[in-house]
Amino acid sequence: MVAPVKSVRFVTFGCKANQYDTQVLREALLRRGMEEANSKADLIVVNTCTVTAEAGRKARKLIRRIAREQPTARICVTGCLSESEPEILRTLPGVQWVLGNGEAKRPVNFLRELGHEVDPEELGIPSGVTEFSGHTRAFLKIQDGCDMACGFCIIPKVRGASRSRPAAELCAEVQRLVLAGHVEIVLCGIHIGHWGRDLDSNLAELMEQLVDIECEDREGRPQPFRLRLSSIEATEVDAHLTSLMADRPDRIAPHLHMPMQSGSDLVLRQMNRWYDRRTYLDACARIQARLDLPAFSADVLLGFPGEGEAEFAETLAAVEEAGFARLHVFPYSPRPGTAAAEQSDRPAPELVRERRAALSEMAAGVAEAYGRSLIGRRDTVVLEGFVGLSGRYQRVRVDPKELTGLPKAVDVRLAQDPTSPLSFLGRSPLPVA
Ligand code: SF4
Protein backbone atom coordinates (compact mmCIF):
# COMPACT_ATOMS: atom_id res chain seq x y z
CA MET A 1 0.00 0.00 0.00
CA VAL A 2 1.29 3.43 -0.97
CA ALA A 3 1.38 6.04 1.81
CA PRO A 4 -1.49 8.53 1.34
CA VAL A 5 -0.47 11.95 0.17
CA LYS A 6 -1.45 15.14 2.01
CA SER A 7 -0.90 17.85 -0.58
CA VAL A 8 -1.43 17.86 -4.31
CA ARG A 9 -0.64 20.16 -7.22
CA PHE A 10 -2.30 19.94 -10.62
CA VAL A 11 -0.75 20.89 -13.93
CA THR A 12 -2.92 20.67 -17.03
CA PHE A 13 -1.92 20.76 -20.67
CA GLY A 14 -4.22 20.94 -23.67
CA CYS A 15 -7.88 21.42 -24.39
CA LYS A 16 -10.97 22.36 -22.39
CA ALA A 17 -11.88 18.67 -22.04
CA ASN A 18 -8.57 18.16 -20.27
CA GLN A 19 -9.19 21.16 -17.99
CA TYR A 20 -12.51 19.60 -17.12
CA ASP A 21 -10.94 16.19 -16.46
CA THR A 22 -8.46 17.83 -14.10
CA GLN A 23 -11.29 19.52 -12.22
CA VAL A 24 -13.04 16.16 -11.74
CA LEU A 25 -9.85 14.72 -10.22
CA ARG A 26 -9.20 17.89 -8.18
CA GLU A 27 -12.63 17.72 -6.55
CA ALA A 28 -12.22 14.02 -5.75
CA LEU A 29 -8.78 14.43 -4.19
CA LEU A 30 -9.76 17.52 -2.19
CA ARG A 31 -12.86 15.72 -0.89
CA ARG A 32 -10.51 13.00 0.26
CA GLY A 33 -8.85 15.60 2.47
CA MET A 34 -5.82 16.55 0.42
CA GLU A 35 -4.79 20.19 0.28
CA GLU A 36 -4.12 21.88 -3.04
CA ALA A 37 -0.72 23.52 -3.42
CA ASN A 38 0.53 25.82 -6.15
CA SER A 39 4.14 24.75 -6.09
CA LYS A 40 5.59 22.14 -3.74
CA ALA A 41 3.35 19.18 -2.99
CA ASP A 42 3.59 15.51 -2.02
CA LEU A 43 1.81 14.56 -5.22
CA ILE A 44 1.96 16.31 -8.58
CA VAL A 45 -0.71 15.33 -11.09
CA VAL A 46 0.30 16.20 -14.66
CA ASN A 47 -2.65 15.92 -17.03
CA THR A 48 -1.08 15.74 -20.47
CA CYS A 49 -1.95 16.34 -24.10
CA THR A 50 -0.59 14.52 -27.13
CA VAL A 51 -2.28 16.36 -29.97
CA THR A 52 1.02 17.79 -31.26
CA ALA A 53 4.64 16.72 -30.85
CA GLU A 54 5.20 20.07 -29.10
CA ALA A 55 2.54 19.29 -26.46
CA GLY A 56 4.33 16.03 -25.60
CA ARG A 57 7.74 17.72 -25.49
CA LYS A 58 6.47 20.41 -23.10
CA ALA A 59 4.96 17.84 -20.72
CA ARG A 60 8.15 15.74 -20.61
CA LYS A 61 10.24 18.86 -20.00
CA LEU A 62 8.01 19.94 -17.13
CA ILE A 63 8.11 16.47 -15.53
CA ARG A 64 11.93 16.48 -15.63
CA ARG A 65 11.98 19.96 -14.09
CA ILE A 66 9.61 19.00 -11.28
CA ALA A 67 11.73 15.91 -10.52
CA ARG A 68 14.87 18.09 -10.39
CA GLU A 69 13.35 20.81 -8.21
CA GLN A 70 11.25 18.56 -5.97
CA PRO A 71 13.01 15.21 -5.75
CA THR A 72 10.70 13.94 -3.01
CA ALA A 73 7.46 14.65 -4.90
CA ARG A 74 5.61 11.72 -6.41
CA ILE A 75 4.45 12.43 -9.93
CA CYS A 76 1.31 10.99 -11.45
CA VAL A 77 1.01 11.44 -15.21
CA THR A 78 -2.39 11.09 -16.76
CA GLY A 79 -4.17 12.28 -19.92
CA CYS A 80 -3.60 11.59 -23.59
CA LEU A 81 0.19 11.34 -23.52
CA SER A 82 -0.07 8.58 -20.92
CA GLU A 83 -2.06 6.61 -23.51
CA SER A 84 0.19 7.32 -26.48
CA GLU A 85 3.61 6.90 -24.86
CA PRO A 86 3.27 5.27 -21.41
CA GLU A 87 6.64 3.48 -21.64
CA ILE A 88 8.56 6.70 -22.22
CA LEU A 89 6.74 8.43 -19.36
CA ARG A 90 7.50 5.57 -16.95
CA THR A 91 11.22 6.10 -17.49
CA LEU A 92 11.09 9.79 -16.52
CA PRO A 93 12.47 10.71 -13.06
CA GLY A 94 9.93 10.98 -10.23
CA VAL A 95 7.10 9.39 -12.18
CA GLN A 96 5.34 6.90 -9.94
CA TRP A 97 2.05 6.45 -11.77
CA VAL A 98 1.09 6.61 -15.42
CA LEU A 99 -2.69 6.45 -15.60
CA GLY A 100 -4.48 6.42 -18.93
CA ASN A 101 -7.75 7.98 -20.01
CA GLY A 102 -9.81 4.89 -19.30
CA GLU A 103 -11.10 3.55 -16.03
CA ALA A 104 -8.15 4.87 -14.04
CA LYS A 105 -9.30 8.40 -14.71
CA ARG A 106 -12.59 7.93 -12.91
CA PRO A 107 -12.08 9.67 -9.57
CA VAL A 108 -12.73 6.64 -7.40
CA ASN A 109 -10.43 4.40 -9.41
CA PHE A 110 -7.86 7.14 -9.56
CA LEU A 111 -7.82 7.42 -5.76
CA ARG A 112 -7.52 3.64 -5.47
CA GLU A 113 -4.54 3.68 -7.83
CA LEU A 114 -2.94 6.22 -5.51
CA GLY A 115 -3.45 3.82 -2.61
CA HIS A 116 -6.59 5.38 -1.09
CA GLU A 117 -9.31 2.88 -0.31
CA VAL A 118 -12.50 4.83 -0.83
CA ASP A 119 -16.19 4.29 -0.68
CA PRO A 120 -17.78 6.44 -3.40
CA GLU A 121 -20.93 6.87 -1.30
CA GLU A 122 -18.94 8.15 1.63
CA LEU A 123 -17.11 10.66 -0.57
CA GLY A 124 -20.36 11.85 -2.14
CA ILE A 125 -18.62 12.45 -5.45
CA PRO A 126 -21.20 13.84 -7.89
CA SER A 127 -21.07 12.94 -11.54
CA GLY A 128 -19.16 15.83 -13.07
CA VAL A 129 -17.91 18.90 -11.26
CA THR A 130 -19.33 21.44 -8.82
CA GLU A 131 -17.35 24.58 -9.66
CA PHE A 132 -14.34 26.15 -11.35
CA SER A 133 -13.11 28.16 -8.41
CA GLY A 134 -11.98 31.72 -9.20
CA HIS A 135 -13.61 31.76 -12.65
CA THR A 136 -16.84 33.22 -13.95
CA ARG A 137 -16.85 30.77 -16.88
CA ALA A 138 -17.13 27.04 -16.29
CA PHE A 139 -16.55 24.10 -18.61
CA LEU A 140 -19.06 21.31 -19.01
CA LYS A 141 -17.79 18.18 -20.75
CA ILE A 142 -20.79 16.70 -22.52
CA GLN A 143 -19.07 13.79 -24.25
CA ASP A 144 -15.67 12.19 -24.72
CA GLY A 145 -14.00 10.38 -27.61
CA CYS A 146 -14.39 10.57 -31.37
CA ASP A 147 -15.60 8.18 -34.09
CA MET A 148 -13.79 9.88 -36.96
CA ALA A 149 -10.35 9.13 -38.37
CA CYS A 150 -8.71 12.36 -39.49
CA GLY A 151 -5.31 11.52 -40.91
CA PHE A 152 -3.39 13.84 -38.58
CA CYS A 153 -5.21 13.07 -35.34
CA ILE A 154 -4.23 10.61 -32.61
CA ILE A 155 -7.17 11.55 -30.36
CA PRO A 156 -9.57 8.70 -31.32
CA LYS A 157 -6.80 6.24 -30.41
CA VAL A 158 -6.14 7.75 -27.00
CA ARG A 159 -9.71 8.70 -26.04
CA GLY A 160 -11.70 5.99 -27.78
CA ALA A 161 -15.11 6.13 -29.45
CA SER A 162 -17.63 8.88 -28.76
CA ARG A 163 -19.53 8.49 -25.46
CA SER A 164 -22.23 10.99 -24.46
CA ARG A 165 -23.11 11.95 -20.92
CA PRO A 166 -26.84 11.67 -20.20
CA ALA A 167 -28.90 14.85 -20.65
CA ALA A 168 -30.35 14.71 -17.13
CA GLU A 169 -26.86 14.58 -15.63
CA LEU A 170 -25.80 17.56 -17.75
CA CYS A 171 -28.89 19.60 -16.83
CA ALA A 172 -28.19 18.98 -13.14
CA GLU A 173 -24.59 20.01 -13.61
CA VAL A 174 -25.52 23.26 -15.37
CA GLN A 175 -27.81 24.13 -12.47
CA ARG A 176 -25.08 23.32 -9.96
CA LEU A 177 -22.52 25.45 -11.82
CA VAL A 178 -24.87 28.42 -12.21
CA LEU A 179 -25.83 28.29 -8.54
CA ALA A 180 -22.10 28.17 -7.73
CA GLY A 181 -21.85 31.58 -9.43
CA HIS A 182 -20.77 30.78 -13.00
CA VAL A 183 -22.44 33.01 -15.56
CA GLU A 184 -21.12 31.33 -18.68
CA ILE A 185 -21.08 27.57 -19.21
CA VAL A 186 -18.89 26.40 -22.08
CA LEU A 187 -19.98 23.05 -23.52
CA CYS A 188 -16.90 21.08 -24.44
CA GLY A 189 -15.81 17.59 -25.37
CA ILE A 190 -13.81 15.93 -28.11
CA HIS A 191 -16.49 15.84 -30.80
CA ILE A 192 -19.51 17.63 -29.35
CA GLY A 193 -21.47 17.55 -32.61
CA HIS A 194 -21.77 13.79 -32.09
CA TRP A 195 -23.39 14.20 -28.68
CA GLY A 196 -26.40 11.90 -28.41
CA ARG A 197 -25.61 9.48 -31.24
CA ASP A 198 -25.23 6.73 -28.66
CA LEU A 199 -28.35 7.92 -26.80
CA ASP A 200 -30.72 8.15 -29.75
CA SER A 201 -30.65 11.92 -29.48
CA ASN A 202 -28.65 14.86 -30.81
CA LEU A 203 -26.97 18.07 -29.72
CA ALA A 204 -29.89 20.34 -30.65
CA GLU A 205 -32.20 18.27 -28.44
CA LEU A 206 -29.75 18.60 -25.56
CA MET A 207 -29.48 22.35 -26.12
CA GLU A 208 -33.29 22.66 -26.08
CA GLN A 209 -33.26 21.28 -22.55
CA LEU A 210 -30.30 23.34 -21.40
CA VAL A 211 -31.65 26.71 -22.61
CA ASP A 212 -34.86 26.17 -20.64
CA ILE A 213 -33.12 25.64 -17.33
CA GLU A 214 -34.18 28.19 -14.71
CA CYS A 215 -31.97 28.69 -11.69
CA GLU A 216 -32.97 30.59 -8.58
CA ASP A 217 -30.82 31.37 -5.59
CA ARG A 218 -31.98 30.76 -2.00
CA GLU A 219 -33.95 34.02 -1.99
CA GLY A 220 -35.76 32.99 -5.15
CA ARG A 221 -33.88 35.41 -7.43
CA PRO A 222 -33.36 34.13 -10.98
CA GLN A 223 -29.70 33.57 -11.83
CA PRO A 224 -28.80 34.67 -15.36
CA PHE A 225 -26.37 32.59 -17.39
CA ARG A 226 -25.47 31.86 -20.97
CA LEU A 227 -24.17 28.79 -22.76
CA ARG A 228 -21.38 28.73 -25.32
CA LEU A 229 -20.57 25.87 -27.65
CA SER A 230 -16.88 25.13 -27.92
CA SER A 231 -15.33 23.46 -30.96
CA ILE A 232 -17.98 21.96 -33.26
CA GLU A 233 -17.71 20.76 -36.84
CA ALA A 234 -19.36 23.10 -39.37
CA THR A 235 -21.23 20.17 -40.94
CA GLU A 236 -22.82 19.36 -37.58
CA VAL A 237 -24.39 22.77 -36.97
CA ASP A 238 -27.74 21.71 -38.42
CA ALA A 239 -30.88 23.74 -39.05
CA HIS A 240 -32.40 22.78 -35.69
CA LEU A 241 -29.35 23.93 -33.74
CA THR A 242 -29.03 27.11 -35.82
CA SER A 243 -32.71 27.97 -35.19
CA LEU A 244 -32.27 27.44 -31.48
CA MET A 245 -29.26 29.78 -31.48
CA ALA A 246 -31.26 32.36 -33.46
CA ASP A 247 -34.26 32.12 -31.12
CA ARG A 248 -32.36 32.17 -27.83
CA PRO A 249 -29.53 34.73 -28.16
CA ASP A 250 -30.06 35.42 -24.44
CA ARG A 251 -29.00 31.86 -23.62
CA ILE A 252 -26.58 30.78 -26.38
CA ALA A 253 -23.63 32.97 -27.34
CA PRO A 254 -23.71 33.69 -31.11
CA HIS A 255 -20.25 32.22 -31.54
CA LEU A 256 -19.12 28.98 -33.15
CA HIS A 257 -15.62 27.57 -33.26
CA MET A 258 -15.66 25.37 -36.37
CA PRO A 259 -12.33 23.75 -37.28
CA MET A 260 -11.65 24.28 -40.99
CA GLN A 261 -8.14 22.75 -41.11
CA SER A 262 -7.64 23.70 -44.77
CA GLY A 263 -9.37 25.60 -47.55
CA SER A 264 -8.11 23.19 -50.20
CA ASP A 265 -10.19 20.22 -51.33
CA LEU A 266 -7.05 18.27 -52.11
CA VAL A 267 -5.61 18.76 -48.64
CA LEU A 268 -8.96 18.09 -46.96
CA ARG A 269 -9.13 14.77 -48.81
CA GLN A 270 -5.55 13.96 -47.80
CA MET A 271 -6.55 14.71 -44.21
CA ASN A 272 -9.52 12.35 -44.50
CA ARG A 273 -11.87 15.16 -43.52
CA TRP A 274 -15.43 14.47 -44.65
CA TYR A 275 -16.31 17.86 -46.23
CA ASP A 276 -14.91 20.00 -48.98
CA ARG A 277 -14.17 23.71 -49.04
CA ARG A 278 -17.57 24.67 -50.51
CA THR A 279 -19.50 22.61 -47.96
CA TYR A 280 -17.65 24.37 -45.13
CA LEU A 281 -18.14 27.86 -46.56
CA ASP A 282 -21.79 27.19 -47.37
CA ALA A 283 -22.35 26.12 -43.76
CA CYS A 284 -20.87 29.45 -42.62
CA ALA A 285 -23.11 31.35 -45.04
CA ARG A 286 -26.21 29.43 -43.92
CA ILE A 287 -25.52 30.21 -40.26
CA GLN A 288 -24.72 33.85 -41.07
CA ALA A 289 -28.04 34.20 -42.85
CA ARG A 290 -29.94 32.93 -39.81
CA LEU A 291 -28.05 34.53 -36.88
CA ASP A 292 -27.36 38.17 -36.12
CA LEU A 293 -23.67 38.73 -36.97
CA PRO A 294 -22.39 35.47 -35.50
CA ALA A 295 -18.71 35.15 -34.63
CA PHE A 296 -16.82 32.29 -36.25
CA SER A 297 -13.45 31.08 -35.12
CA ALA A 298 -11.50 28.17 -36.54
CA ASP A 299 -8.32 26.11 -36.59
CA VAL A 300 -6.15 25.75 -39.66
CA LEU A 301 -3.37 23.18 -39.96
CA LEU A 302 -0.52 24.33 -42.20
CA GLY A 303 2.19 22.23 -43.81
CA PHE A 304 0.13 19.07 -44.25
CA PRO A 305 1.37 16.62 -46.92
CA GLY A 306 0.21 17.78 -50.34
CA GLU A 307 -0.04 21.48 -49.45
CA GLY A 308 1.55 23.43 -52.31
CA GLU A 309 1.30 27.11 -53.20
CA ALA A 310 -2.07 26.66 -54.93
CA GLU A 311 -3.55 24.82 -51.93
CA PHE A 312 -2.24 27.48 -49.56
CA ALA A 313 -3.77 30.22 -51.73
CA GLU A 314 -7.13 28.41 -51.48
CA THR A 315 -6.83 28.43 -47.70
CA LEU A 316 -6.11 32.17 -47.67
CA ALA A 317 -9.18 32.80 -49.83
CA ALA A 318 -11.39 30.58 -47.66
CA VAL A 319 -10.31 32.41 -44.49
CA GLU A 320 -11.22 35.71 -46.10
CA GLU A 321 -14.60 34.43 -47.29
CA ALA A 322 -15.55 32.94 -43.91
CA GLY A 323 -14.73 36.23 -42.14
CA PHE A 324 -13.38 34.64 -38.97
CA ALA A 325 -13.41 36.59 -35.72
CA ARG A 326 -10.32 34.62 -34.71
CA LEU A 327 -8.14 32.02 -36.35
CA HIS A 328 -5.75 29.57 -34.70
CA VAL A 329 -2.99 28.55 -37.08
CA PHE A 330 -1.01 25.41 -36.26
CA PRO A 331 1.96 23.93 -38.09
CA TYR A 332 1.39 20.24 -38.80
CA SER A 333 3.56 17.77 -36.88
CA PRO A 334 3.25 14.06 -37.69
CA ARG A 335 2.09 11.92 -34.77
CA PRO A 336 3.24 8.33 -34.71
CA GLY A 337 0.27 5.99 -35.06
CA THR A 338 -1.71 8.30 -37.36
CA ALA A 339 -2.42 7.63 -41.05
CA ALA A 340 -0.66 10.80 -42.17
CA ALA A 341 2.55 10.04 -40.26
CA GLU A 342 3.83 7.95 -43.17
CA GLN A 343 3.08 10.58 -45.84
CA SER A 344 6.20 12.33 -47.02
CA ASP A 345 5.27 15.14 -49.41
CA ARG A 346 5.28 17.85 -46.76
CA PRO A 347 6.29 21.42 -47.57
CA ALA A 348 9.69 22.51 -46.20
CA PRO A 349 9.64 23.93 -42.64
CA GLU A 350 10.78 27.40 -43.74
CA LEU A 351 7.92 27.48 -46.23
CA VAL A 352 5.48 26.53 -43.49
CA ARG A 353 6.85 29.33 -41.30
CA GLU A 354 6.37 31.84 -44.13
CA ARG A 355 2.83 30.61 -44.81
CA ARG A 356 1.99 30.75 -41.13
CA ALA A 357 3.13 34.38 -40.92
CA ALA A 358 1.20 35.30 -44.08
CA LEU A 359 -1.99 33.53 -42.96
CA SER A 360 -1.80 34.98 -39.44
CA GLU A 361 -1.46 38.48 -40.86
CA MET A 362 -4.39 38.05 -43.22
CA ALA A 363 -6.49 36.47 -40.44
CA ALA A 364 -5.77 39.44 -38.14
CA GLY A 365 -7.08 41.80 -40.82
CA VAL A 366 -10.20 39.66 -41.30
CA ALA A 367 -10.78 39.56 -37.53
CA GLU A 368 -10.37 43.32 -37.30
CA ALA A 369 -12.95 43.85 -40.02
CA TYR A 370 -15.37 41.61 -38.16
CA GLY A 371 -14.69 43.55 -34.91
CA ARG A 372 -15.45 46.82 -36.68
CA SER A 373 -18.75 45.47 -37.90
CA LEU A 374 -19.81 45.10 -34.26
CA ILE A 375 -19.30 48.75 -33.36
CA GLY A 376 -22.50 50.29 -32.09
CA ARG A 377 -23.98 46.98 -30.97
CA ARG A 378 -24.84 45.89 -27.48
CA ASP A 379 -23.31 42.76 -26.05
CA THR A 380 -22.91 41.12 -22.69
CA VAL A 381 -19.33 40.77 -21.52
CA VAL A 382 -18.56 38.02 -19.04
CA LEU A 383 -15.77 39.40 -16.89
CA GLU A 384 -12.83 37.88 -15.10
CA GLY A 385 -11.44 40.95 -13.36
CA PHE A 386 -11.66 43.89 -15.77
CA VAL A 387 -11.20 41.92 -18.95
CA GLY A 388 -13.91 39.79 -20.44
CA LEU A 389 -15.33 37.99 -23.40
CA SER A 390 -18.35 39.24 -25.30
CA GLY A 391 -20.96 36.86 -26.66
CA ARG A 392 -19.41 37.38 -30.10
CA TYR A 393 -15.97 36.36 -28.86
CA GLN A 394 -14.39 39.80 -28.55
CA ARG A 395 -11.97 40.43 -25.73
CA VAL A 396 -13.17 43.58 -24.01
CA ARG A 397 -11.41 45.65 -21.38
CA VAL A 398 -13.54 47.54 -18.89
CA ASP A 399 -12.44 50.62 -16.97
CA PRO A 400 -12.74 49.77 -13.25
CA LYS A 401 -13.98 53.34 -12.62
CA GLU A 402 -17.09 52.55 -14.64
CA LEU A 403 -18.00 49.57 -12.53
CA THR A 404 -19.75 49.27 -9.23
CA GLY A 405 -18.13 46.48 -7.30
CA LEU A 406 -16.87 43.50 -9.24
CA PRO A 407 -19.71 42.30 -11.49
CA LYS A 408 -19.40 38.99 -13.29
CA ALA A 409 -21.03 40.32 -16.43
CA VAL A 410 -21.80 43.76 -17.87
CA ASP A 411 -23.86 44.92 -20.83
CA VAL A 412 -21.88 47.23 -23.06
CA ARG A 413 -22.43 49.09 -26.28
CA LEU A 414 -19.43 48.74 -28.57
CA ALA A 415 -18.60 52.11 -30.13
CA GLN A 416 -15.87 54.23 -31.57
CA ASP A 417 -15.59 56.96 -28.96
CA PRO A 418 -11.85 57.04 -28.06
CA THR A 419 -12.62 58.40 -24.61
CA SER A 420 -14.76 55.38 -23.86
CA PRO A 421 -13.93 53.31 -20.79
CA LEU A 422 -14.40 50.11 -22.75
CA SER A 423 -12.32 48.82 -25.57
CA PHE A 424 -11.55 45.73 -27.53
CA LEU A 425 -8.17 44.31 -26.82
CA GLY A 426 -6.17 42.87 -29.65
CA ARG A 427 -3.94 43.69 -32.55
CA SER A 428 -5.73 46.95 -33.30
CA PRO A 429 -7.62 48.05 -30.21
CA LEU A 430 -11.06 49.31 -31.10
CA PRO A 431 -12.47 51.95 -28.80
CA VAL A 432 -15.98 51.31 -27.60
CA ALA A 433 -18.55 53.02 -25.40
S1 SF4 B 1 -12.91 14.93 -35.67
FE1 SF4 B 1 -10.88 14.48 -36.48
S2 SF4 B 1 -9.56 16.09 -35.55
FE2 SF4 B 1 -11.43 16.01 -34.33
S3 SF4 B 1 -10.92 14.59 -32.61
FE3 SF4 B 1 -11.97 13.40 -34.27
S4 SF4 B 1 -10.30 12.55 -35.48
FE4 SF4 B 1 -9.41 14.23 -34.24
Side-chain angles (χ1 to χ4, degrees):
M1 153 124 181
V2 184
V5 292
K6 292 191 177 138
S7 58
V8 57
R9 174 187 165 199
F10 298 90
V11 184
T12 310
F13 290 91
C15 62
K16 295 182 178 71
N18 241 24
Q19 305 282 343
Y20 182 93
D21 290 344
T22 295
Q23 183 61 18
V24 171
L25 295 179
R26 173 183 284 116
E27 292 192 10
L29 269 57
L30 299 190
R31 268 166 199 258
R32 189 73 184 98
M34 294 178 204
E35 292 215 341
E36 184 164 6
N38 289 326
S39 55
K40 290 200 168 166
D42 300 338
L43 168 68
I44 313 234
V45 178
V46 184
N47 193 1
T48 58
C49 168
T50 190
V51 77
T52 60
E54 178 64 7
R57 194 189 61 76
K58 278 190 187 159
R60 288 189 298 274
K61 189 172 164 199
L62 179 90
I63 291 165
R64 286 200 188 89
R65 205 183 78 214
I66 292 171
R68 223 175 25 249
E69 293 173 358
Q70 299 176 53
T72 56
R74 286 175 278 171
I75 300 173
C76 172
V77 192
T78 185
C80 293
L81 200 63
S82 62
E83 290 281 347
S84 65
E85 49 182 67
E87 294 81 17
I88 297 175
L89 293 172
R90 277 193 198 98
T91 65
L92 295 181
V95 172
Q96 193 150 349
W97 300 275
V98 176
L99 304 180
N101 279 330
E103 281 299 291
K105 223 163 168 193
R106 289 176 185 277
V108 170
N109 295 349
F110 188 82
L111 281 162
R112 285 194 182 125
E113 293 277 352
L114 300 185
H116 290 253
E117 270 315 313
V118 289
D119 172 357
E121 303 264 310
E122 164 216 331
L123 273 185
I125 295 175
S127 163
V129 303
T130 58
E131 61 164 358
F132 280 78
S133 182
H135 296 281
T136 44
R137 303 169 81 207
F139 298 143
L140 175 70
K141 191 170 87 173
I142 63 170
Q143 63 81 241
D144 205 331
C146 177
D147 298 332
M148 308 308 277
C150 299
F152 53 82
C153 186
I154 191 75
I155 299 304
K157 283 203 173 150
V158 297
R159 284 198 180 253
S162 180
R163 285 104 56 208
S164 309
R165 297 182 59 203
E169 197 174 294
L170 295 170
C171 289
E173 194 162 336
V174 165
Q175 273 196 313
R176 196 159 66 224
L177 289 167
V178 172
L179 290 176
H182 297 289
V183 291
E184 181 171 301
I185 313 293
V186 183
L187 272 58
C188 65
I190 301 302
H191 197 131
I192 68 169
H194 279 183
W195 184 89
R197 285 188 167 197
D198 49 340
L199 301 175
D200 200 19
S201 185
N202 59 52
L203 184 60
E205 288 177 359
L206 171 66
M207 293 301 285
E208 262 183 0
Q209 294 187 51
L210 296 182
V211 295
D212 281 340
I213 288 175
E214 299 295 343
C215 296
E216 289 182 351
D217 67 9
R218 284 206 186 110
E219 281 77 45
R221 289 175 302 217
Q223 301 300 295
F225 73 95
R226 77 176 170 209
L227 305 162
R228 187 186 295 272
L229 292 164
S230 70
S231 188
I232 181 167
E233 300 294 346
T235 50
E236 289 155 14
V237 184
D238 61 13
H240 185 177
L241 184 55
T242 311
S243 291
L244 202 56
M245 291 181 77
D247 295 345
R248 296 299 305 264
D250 57 318
R251 272 289 154 90
I252 312 177
H255 163 226
L256 291 163
H257 181 87
M258 303 185 291
M260 182 172 78
Q261 308 305 8
S262 174
S264 149
D265 288 348
L266 184 145
V267 175
L268 288 169
R269 268 198 309 277
Q270 296 263 85
M271 289 176 166
N272 199 29
R273 299 287 283 176
W274 53 93
Y275 53 85
D276 59 17
R277 161 206 177 84
R278 197 25 60 203
T279 308
Y280 183 95
L281 292 172
D282 285 352
C284 294
R286 184 175 41 76
I287 299 162
Q288 262 158 348
R290 190 73 178 82
L291 301 190
D292 180 21
L293 270 182
F296 296 144
S297 53
D299 304 319
V300 164
L301 202 52
L302 280 185
F304 197 76
E307 182 195 275
E309 283 305 322
E311 288 72 30
F312 177 60
E314 286 174 334
T315 297
L316 283 174
V319 166
E320 191 163 29
E321 185 174 336
F324 294 120
R326 210 178 297 172
L327 188 72
H328 304 276
V329 184
F330 299 97
Y332 167 66
S333 61
R335 304 301 289 134
T338 59
E342 305 305 321
Q343 293 176 259
S344 56
D345 51 340
R346 290 159 56 199
E350 55 282 7
L351 215 51
V352 178
R353 273 196 294 278
E354 277 171 26
R355 288 177 187 169
R356 188 181 191 187
L359 180 58
S360 299
E361 191 179 338
M362 118 94 74
V366 170
E368 192 178 318
Y370 174 73
R372 287 192 182 281
S373 75
L374 299 178
I375 288 169
R377 292 178 159 263
R378 293 194 71 81
D379 205 336
T380 302
V381 177
V382 166
L383 290 166
E384 294 210 333
F386 302 116
V387 178
L389 203 56
S390 76
R392 291 181 176 81
Y393 209 44
Q394 302 294 307
R395 288 199 194 99
V396 176
R397 184 178 52 225
V398 182
D399 186 339
K401 292 199 286 291
E402 296 298 313
L403 298 177
T404 313
L406 270 178
K408 291 178 178 168
V410 282
D411 282 327
V412 298
R413 182 180 295 284
L414 309 174
Q416 265 180 318
D417 176 3
T419 61
S420 158
L422 305 167
S423 67
F424 286 117
L425 293 178
R427 183 170 168 267
S428 301
L430 294 175
V432 295

